[in-house]
Amino acid sequence: MTQPIPWQMPAALALALFLLGLLGLLARKNLVFVLMSIEIMLNAAGLMFISAGMRWDNPDGQIMLIFVFNLAGAELALGLILLLRLRGRVTSLDSDAANLLRDAP
Amino acid sequence: MTAVFYAVAVLALLTTGLAITRANPVHALLYFVVSLVFMGVIFFTLGAPFAAALEVIVYAGAIMVLFLFVIMMLALDKSNFQRERGWISRPIWLIPALLVAALGLELARLFAPGGSQAAARIISPQEVGLRLFTDYVGAVELASMMLLAGLVGAFHLGRKDP
């Protein structure tokens, strides 16, 4: 009960979550799910930082997590505003709905 | 509290898997928010209580709620409200209720008297803040510039078409 968790376990969880996010990114077509999968992957990277901070007994992992949160916030704000703008131009939010980079002929 | 870590890890994987397979974006987002709360518990068991608080307050509480509001702005139909009314009576509450009960049990076990950390050492918020604002002050400035760029970009893109 008192022995610490081996650091490989949270690292394996981070790997599994990252792969799930990558699967969602590749398999889903709706841009909402693409953005959410990117968030899952960023979160898995944050868990990797935390497990590394636990492994080396260092607060740097949590500092890196704060920067990951910064990045996720900025990325999500821009991604969502682009999504809202795209919604005004195309009817569906499929990722291939805007592949012409201009209005449909 | 090693058992808490493993239980919550399984639940986090489960909710993330549910999140990427839902058809309804709002359902998926809510499952993802639950997965982030589980992730906060994982950070807590790994000896990072400050990161756990940030995960729940900033990530699940602010960033994901922004996401949810935008999703709700995207798709507002009359048909959605009709379907919503039908869902309230259906036994769709079962899986979310089980997840919430599991999280509550884990938290109760964590905060029960005698519940110890599974990590070798707890890294306190004081250490994190001390290191953040001395050694990493340049990175803090860079992060603030990135957030400003995101703010300006979102403001610019969010204007009405001329």
Side-chain angles (χ1 to χ4, degrees):
Chain A
M1 205 62 159
T2 50
Q3 83 274 22
I5 301 167
W7 68 273
Q8 285 93 344
M9 287 300 145
L13 177 65
L15 177 67
L17 284 174
F18 189 87
L19 291 179
L20 272 179
L22 190 61
L23 177 69
L25 180 68
L26 294 174
R28 297 304 295 258
K29 210 173 175 188
N30 194 321
L31 283 173
V32 172
F33 286 94
V34 171
L35 272 180
M36 198 181 76
S37 301
I38 293 172
E39 295 298 312
I40 293 172
M41 289 158 74
L42 277 174
N43 206 49
L47 177 61
M48 194 67 222
F49 276 122
I50 290 292
S51 51
M54 181 187 111
R55 163 72 179 76
W56 280 283
D57 194 12
N58 203 316
D60 288 1
Q62 295 185 49
I63 291 168
M64 284 302 154
L65 185 79
I66 293 172
F67 293 140
V68 168
F69 284 176
N70 265 316
L71 180 68
E75 175 257 328
L76 194 65
L78 285 177
L80 286 174
I81 202 79
L82 284 172
L83 205 64
L84 276 175
R85 294 304 297 244
L86 186 69
R87 176 70 175 177
R89 288 181 181 274
V90 299
T91 49
S92 74
L93 280 177
D94 290 348
S95 52
D96 58 356
N99 59 355
L100 292 178
L101 294 180
R102 59 184 168 86
D103 291 333
Chain B
M1 288 293 115
T2 311
V4 173
F5 170 78
Y6 289 112
V8 176
V10 169
L11 286 168
L13 278 176
L14 176 72
T15 44
T16 307
L18 282 170
I20 63 169
T21 51
R22 293 304 96 182
N24 188 324
V26 177
H27 292 176
L29 250 294
L30 287 177
Y31 274 122
F32 184 44
V33 169
V34 175
S35 141
L36 287 176
V37 176
F38 284 135
M39 195 70 79
V41 178
I42 288 173
F43 289 170
F44 190 78
T45 58
L46 293 183
F50 184 55
L54 278 183
E55 177 88 8
V56 174
I57 296 170
V58 177
Y59 216 107
I63 299 180
M64 281 305 126
V65 170
L66 170 77
F67 205 151
L68 203 56
F69 282 165
V70 171
I71 302 303
M72 289 172 172
M73 280 168 69
L74 281 177
L76 275 182
D77 279 335
K78 271 276 156 47
S79 59
N80 281 0
F81 297 124
Q82 298 287 340
R83 268 185 300 154
E84 195 77 38
R85 214 166 288 135
W87 282 334
I88 295 174
S89 56
R90 294 223 312 256
I92 205 161
W93 297 87
L94 190 63
I95 296 176
L98 283 178
L99 289 173
V100 169
L103 181 64
L105 278 177
E106 299 297 347
L107 281 178
R109 284 186 57 189
L110 265 182
F111 293 116
S116 62
Q117 287 288 318
R121 191 173 72 88
I122 300 171
I123 296 168
S124 70
Q126 193 181 7
E127 284 175 75
V128 178
L130 210 60
R131 186 70 77 86
L132 180 63
F133 288 112
T134 53
D135 294 349
Y136 287 91
V137 75
V140 171
E141 293 297 329
L142 282 177
S144 74
M145 263 187 255
M146 185 180 68
L147 283 178
L148 180 67
L151 182 67
V152 171
F155 187 73
H156 175 73
L157 287 169
R159 286 179 313 169
K160 282 200 181 108
D161 276 327

